[in-house]
Amino acid sequence: MVEISRPNEEEIYESHFEKVYKTAYFILKNEKLAKDATHDTFIKAFKHLNKINQHARINAWITTIATRTAIDIYNKNKKQIAYEFKEENYLSKSDEFNVEIDELENYLDNIPPEQKQILILKYMEELTEKEIANLLSIKLGTVKSRIFRAKQKLYEQYTLGGENRVGE
């Protein structure tokens, strides 16, 4: 029987750092908090590394930890993040930004972190709804409803031109 070697912590860190940081930053929109979330993600992952059975799914597993960690930090720092993001956007508006990407980010900022997490796992990690439900330990119906609500909010914002915040 051939034994498959498990990746060590250094290999996991090197191969997943950028993705974890980008995921955390996507949710938090704050460099310092994203770095904290990235650090916390790897601490949690390494602490529970022996619990993952399928090392082929380690990317999705770490992304799930990253999104949960970022959401926890977001909830703890909600007011500060909103203020800093508002200031950053006000000061950095320029013609060099792609308007479509900028608009999409603004739309995504107006949906709850739990819905954003589901979108990351479904469309960036390309997980099935059933896999997402298993990873997050929630019901399949909850996954489907969060996807539906997130898409609905994004569409409403798009049709309103992104000018108005849609029901939070």
Side-chain angles (χ1 to χ4, degrees):
M1 179 178 199
V2 177
E3 187 175 319
I4 300 172
S5 66
R6 298 170 65 108
N8 66 34
E9 291 177 1
E10 185 177 348
E11 291 170 337
I12 293 170
Y13 182 84
E14 291 293 324
S15 62
H16 293 90
F17 175 83
E18 187 175 339
K19 177 119 182 151
V20 168
Y21 175 79
K22 285 180 180 180
T23 299
Y25 188 82
F26 181 74
I27 291 170
L28 296 166
K29 297 294 185 200
N30 177 295
E31 188 177 329
K32 182 180 181 298
L33 293 176
K35 286 179 181 178
D36 289 345
T38 301
H39 178 73
D40 292 350
T41 295
F42 283 107
I43 289 173
K44 291 174 186 177
F46 296 154
K47 189 175 185 179
H48 301 286
L49 190 57
N50 61 337
K51 293 182 181 178
I52 186 162
N53 296 330
Q54 295 179 319
H55 283 278
R57 303 301 281 169
I58 198 163
N59 191 40
W61 180 70
I62 287 180
T63 301
T64 302
I65 295 170
T67 57
R68 285 182 173 174
T69 302
I71 287 170
D72 288 346
I73 290 172
Y74 174 87
N75 288 333
K76 288 178 188 173
N77 296 283
K78 207 179 259 187
K79 289 180 182 178
Q80 181 66 25
I81 291 170
Y83 175 77
E84 288 177 6
F85 182 70
K86 191 175 192 177
E87 286 296 310
E88 178 183 304
N89 275 348
Y90 177 75
L91 296 173
S92 67
K93 293 287 183 194
S94 73
D95 294 334
E96 67 187 70
F97 289 106
N98 182 335
V99 175
E100 291 177 21
I101 291 173
D102 206 27
E103 280 183 289
L104 181 58
E105 286 179 358
N106 285 332
Y107 297 158
L108 289 172
D109 286 335
N110 293 325
I111 65 172
E114 292 80 11
Q115 292 175 1
K116 197 181 294 188
Q117 175 188 38
I118 297 289
L119 293 179
I120 290 170
L121 293 173
K122 176 143 178 82
Y123 297 106
M124 294 174 73
E125 291 299 321
E126 299 177 352
L127 297 179
T128 66
E129 292 166 353
K130 188 175 182 179
E131 290 172 326
I132 294 169
N134 288 335
L135 271 173
L136 300 179
S137 301
I138 59 177
K139 294 180 181 178
L140 181 60
T142 303
V143 171
K144 290 180 179 183
S145 68
R146 286 182 186 174
I147 291 170
F148 175 79
R149 287 188 199 119
K151 285 180 174 180
Q152 188 176 31
K153 286 183 182 181
L154 290 174
Y155 179 74
E156 288 172 7
Q157 289 182 64
Y158 175 74
T159 58
L160 293 172
E163 301 275 331
N164 302 316
R165 293 178 69 100
V166 176
E168 291 186 15

